[in-house]
Every structure is written in structure tokens, then in C-alpha cells.
Amino acid sequence: MTHPEELLAGYVDGTLSAQERAAVEAHVAGCARCSREIGLATSARSALRSLEEVPAPADIGSLAIREASGSRAASARGTPRQGTPRQGTPRWYRVGGLVAAVAAGLLVFTLVLPHVGQSDDSGGGDQRALSAAERDTGLGKFSASASGIEIQHENYDNTSLTALISSIAAEDSSAGGAMATAAAPAPSSTRSEAQVDKALACIVRSAPGETGDLKRLIRARFEGTSAYLALFTEGPGAGQPADRAIIWVFATDDCRILASSLAQL
Amino acid sequence: MTGPEPDEDLVRRYLAGDERAFSLLVERHQTRVFNVALRVLGDPDDARDAAQDAFLSMLRKLSQFRGDSAFTTWLHRVTVNSCYDILRKRRRQPMLRLVGDEDDPIPETGPPVADHADATVDSIDVSRALLLIPEEYRVTLVLADIQDVPYDEIARVLDVPIGTVKSRVHRGRIALARALGLEGPEREPSSAPGPSERES
């Protein structure tokens, strides 16, 4: 028996013509399978239509809007604009891998999963645009050193944050100055490059004066708020070794600073 | 009484130099874009990423919008492509999926409530069950039954024949009903629609 499958969707929707509807009903009268499927499809459609719309996060288009404004500003300054509105500011950033980190002179040990830092060779979805302001503040440096993000289920507060950075500083001292994370709490997993990019964007937006070396990115909670933790080491400059570590804590939703903590190495 | 300015006019205004028009387009469509991504991906963080990518793609490609299809058709295509990008990443990097993230109200895995003797389901059941059906069915159902996009427009969004859209809608609904446990014991295994379909 040939079943009128293409008509069944419209039958359930109520969008068939009278002639089509009559044809389906004639078939269904003698077809238990189609009769049963119409019942199931009607229930499924009803269930889907019961799903309520979820409000979009307030800043969901802000990156694109800033990009749009940035390209307009560039255009107004005389930057030739060819083709798309993004022309003139086409620079894209990718999350670099461990090779990039070593090339940058950083010694980073991560015990996150093997995929961390893998370069992704797919299309545009792996890339993330940043605003002109973000680029100008040198996010590329951070993106080159961030080989992944650790996902922890900790809910930090000021006390546990201080304990975290103190333990890391102690490990660093015992590791001869290299910020080894081998003994750090094991991350439960890692997240996509998009999560790394969002964390990096928070650093640039909310801690633009940070000039240290980014050592670790963590996503966890701080006093119940979903947060990115960014760990830096800083030195006096002039080639001197790092002598302090700092953790910045940013809210994941709007990058506001929730806390920071400093420890001497 | 005049209605809201058409999307296509806002596109023209933006391309003519009015950046506020782009903000209006984003504001007008952000809920739709986010909800499509949320129902396709099932994860609020991934949905947020997909929506952000979609708007960046929209900005980048806006000058290529010819106006020969509705702006919403074009934006749906951009949004679905952003979702597919994330789904492809998941397939390549399954170890990177986050398990048990307390931020995620929609669990990544696990069957929905199996016993629906009273045939009632709640929204969490439906969201979970959607993730259990093949992606091509899920995308089509999200557009058809949640976003009320007409079949001919879905065909343009997905670049498939309209017959394929109708087939996916019907098979997707059956698959979803079964994922929800709505099918009774009289089920005939031979009638189960599988991932393959007739591409008409």
C-alpha cells in the first residue's frame, strides 16, 4: 500500500485543500498505520507548540552591533569600504594551540583533555570577530596563549579564590618558576573555542590594563554566578621572571568583574 | 496607521550608511534567532554562541542579500548554518561536550520520561526528546512547528525540495512522539521512520 506521507504533514496542520483532505481521509479509513501516525504526529505537534519562547540574552547581538559601528567609524575615517560592511576591519582571531603558546615564549602545562588547543580547521563558525576596540588592546596575545578552558563545578567565594591562587603560587614556586598546573584541581572537561573567546573578550573589556601572561582560563561559579576565572602571572618587566599571580573573575553574562585575587610567587 | 518598517528597508538603510538600522534588525530578530538555536542545539550557551555567530554572519553577508527572498528566510538560513557549525564541532570533538554543567537547564543526554500513560508531557520532556531525533528532522520541526515557518519557505532555507520538507516534518513528528514515549504497545516496528527519507 502506498501511504500519502507528504500529505500527512499538511493533514495534521490543517493546511490541505478540501480535495487533498478527502483523499487522505479515504486512505486513512482503510490504513491503520497512517491512522496511528496521524495520532502520534498530532500529539507531537501539540507538544512542540506548547514550548514557550525563551527570552534572548540581552547582549546577544552586541558583538555584531559593535562590529557594525566599528566598520562605520572606519568608513567615516576614510577606510575604503569594499563589498561587505566588515571590509576594512577583517581581522579574525583564532584560539591558538600549545605550539603557539610555546612559540610565544610561554611555558604552559595543561592537563586538560587531549583536544585542548587543537586548531579547528572548519569554516567560518570557528572564527570569532572582535570589535575594533578589543583588537586594539591586543587580544591576539591572549588568544595565542590560551590553549583551552577548564570547566570546574566549584562555586568559589573570596576565601576559596584566595586558597586557589595561593595553592597555584605554591606550586609555581616548587616548579621553579614555571606556572605548572599539573597539581591543580583536575578540570572536569573543556569547552569549545567559543567559550575561550568569550573569556578572552571579558579580559580585554573589563581588565584592559592587564599586561601579564595568561596562564589558565577556568569556567566555574563565583558566589553562585557563572564566571570566567583568568589567571595571569606578572613580573617587573625588563626580562625579569614573574613575581606575582593574579586571578580575575568575570561574570559570563556581561563580563563585569566579580572579584580578583593577588598572590606573590 | 503604518506598520513597522519592513526588514528589507532596514537592510537598505544599513547598506546606505545608517548603522542604527542594523541594531533594529538585531533587536527585531534576536528572540527568534536565539530560540531556533536553543531548540536545535538544546544548550543555552551553545545557542548563545550560535546566535552571536549568526548575527556576525548576517553583518558580514548583508551586502549579499539580494532581496529575492524574504529577509527572514535568509536569516533563518544563516541561523541554521550557525547551528550546523556547532553540531559539526560536537561530532568532531565529542570529548569537549560538557557533562553536568549546572548552567544547563536542558540536560545533554538521557532519555525523557519514558512512561506517558496519560499522554501529557512538559516542556523539559519535549526539549529533551527533540535532542534524541535526527538533526535534519529536528531542524525542520523547529522551523515548522515552533517558528511557524511555511513549508515552502523551509524548503528555501534548507535548499531542499518542498516534498522533502513535508516528509521530514511528518517523520520528525513520529520520531518525536516515540521519543516522548507517546506510542502505545501496538507499535509496529516495521513502521518506524528511520533517518533515511525519500528525497522527493
Side-chain angles (χ1 to χ4, degrees), chain A residues 156-166 222-223 261:
Chain A
Y156 287 98
D157 57 18
N158 281 315
T159 302
S160 57
L161 195 66
T162 301
L164 173 67
I165 195 168
S166 297
F222 183 83
E223 295 181 340
S261 184

Side-chain angles (χ1 to χ4, degrees), chain B residues 49-66:
Chain B
D49 289 343
Q52 287 181 335
D53 281 344
F55 285 125
L56 286 166
S57 293
M58 175 177 117
L59 174 64
R60 201 164 64 243
K61 298 174 181 173
L62 210 49
S63 65
Q64 300 168 17
F65 174 66
R66 301 293 177 210

Side-chain angles (χ1 to χ4, degrees), chain A:
Chain A
M1 179 183 293
T2 301
H3 305 281
E5 189 171 74
E6 286 184 15
L7 293 178
L8 294 183
Y11 183 81
V12 170
D13 295 341
T15 55
L16 295 184
S17 67
Q19 189 176 7
E20 289 171 327
R21 188 169 190 85
V24 170
E25 288 173 348
H27 172 84
V28 167
C31 179
R33 169 184 159 175
C34 284
S35 177
R36 186 168 60 254
E37 286 191 0
I38 286 171
L40 289 172
T42 302
S43 297
R45 182 172 189 266
S46 174
L48 285 169
R49 297 182 73 77
S50 73
L51 287 175
E52 293 187 1
E53 195 169 71
V54 178
D59 62 344
I60 203 163
S62 57
L63 259 180
I65 290 172
R66 278 201 300 276
E67 282 291 303
S69 301
S71 63
R72 290 297 173 206
S75 187
R77 288 193 301 270
T79 304
R81 181 162 169 257
Q82 306 161 0
T84 74
R86 283 183 54 77
Q87 289 290 331
T89 57
R91 191 172 167 192
W92 294 80
Y93 287 83
R94 301 182 66 117
V95 176
L98 192 59
V99 172
V102 172
L106 301 172
L107 184 55
V108 180
F109 296 102
T110 57
L111 287 185
V112 291
L113 296 174
H115 293 84
V116 173
Q118 277 190 344
S119 177
D120 199 329
D121 61 357
S122 69
D126 296 316
Q127 299 170 323
R128 177 104 14 205
L130 297 167
S131 71
E134 286 165 342
R135 284 193 297 275
D136 290 344
T137 49
L139 183 52
K141 173 183 70 173
F142 296 147
S143 68
S145 62
S147 59
I149 189 165
E150 303 164 26
I151 308 296
Q152 296 183 358
H153 294 290
E154 295 290 328
N155 185 13
Y156 287 98
D157 57 18
N158 281 315
T159 302
S160 57
L161 195 66
T162 301
L164 173 67
I165 195 168
S166 297
S167 67
I168 291 171
E171 290 158 15
D172 183 62
S173 298
S174 64
M179 183 61 78
T181 61
S188 63
S189 181
T190 62
R191 193 69 167 172
S192 68
E193 293 90 345
Q195 287 287 315
V196 175
D197 282 1
K198 286 162 65 178
L200 296 176
C202 283
I203 296 169
V204 171
R205 286 176 205 162
S206 298
E210 178 56 63
T211 57
D213 291 331
L214 176 61
K215 297 300 185 184
R216 289 172 67 184
L217 286 174
I218 299 170
R219 183 174 162 196
R221 287 179 171 272
F222 183 83
E223 295 181 340
T225 300
S226 180
Y228 296 122
L229 282 64
L231 170 67
F232 289 85
T233 57
E234 298 175 346
Q240 297 297 307
D243 59 359
R244 61 186 180 274
I246 184 168
I247 288 182
W248 294 96
V249 184
F250 308 102
T252 59
D253 58 352
D254 60 2
C255 294
R256 70 185 184 280
I257 296 173
L258 298 173
S260 63
S261 184
L262 183 68
Q264 296 299 318
L265 299 178

Side-chain angles (χ1 to χ4, degrees), chain B residues 38-57:
Chain B
L38 179 65
R39 299 311 179 189
V40 169
L41 299 171
D43 176 278
D45 284 332
D46 281 348
R48 182 187 178 112
D49 289 343
Q52 287 181 335
D53 281 344
F55 285 125
L56 286 166
S57 293

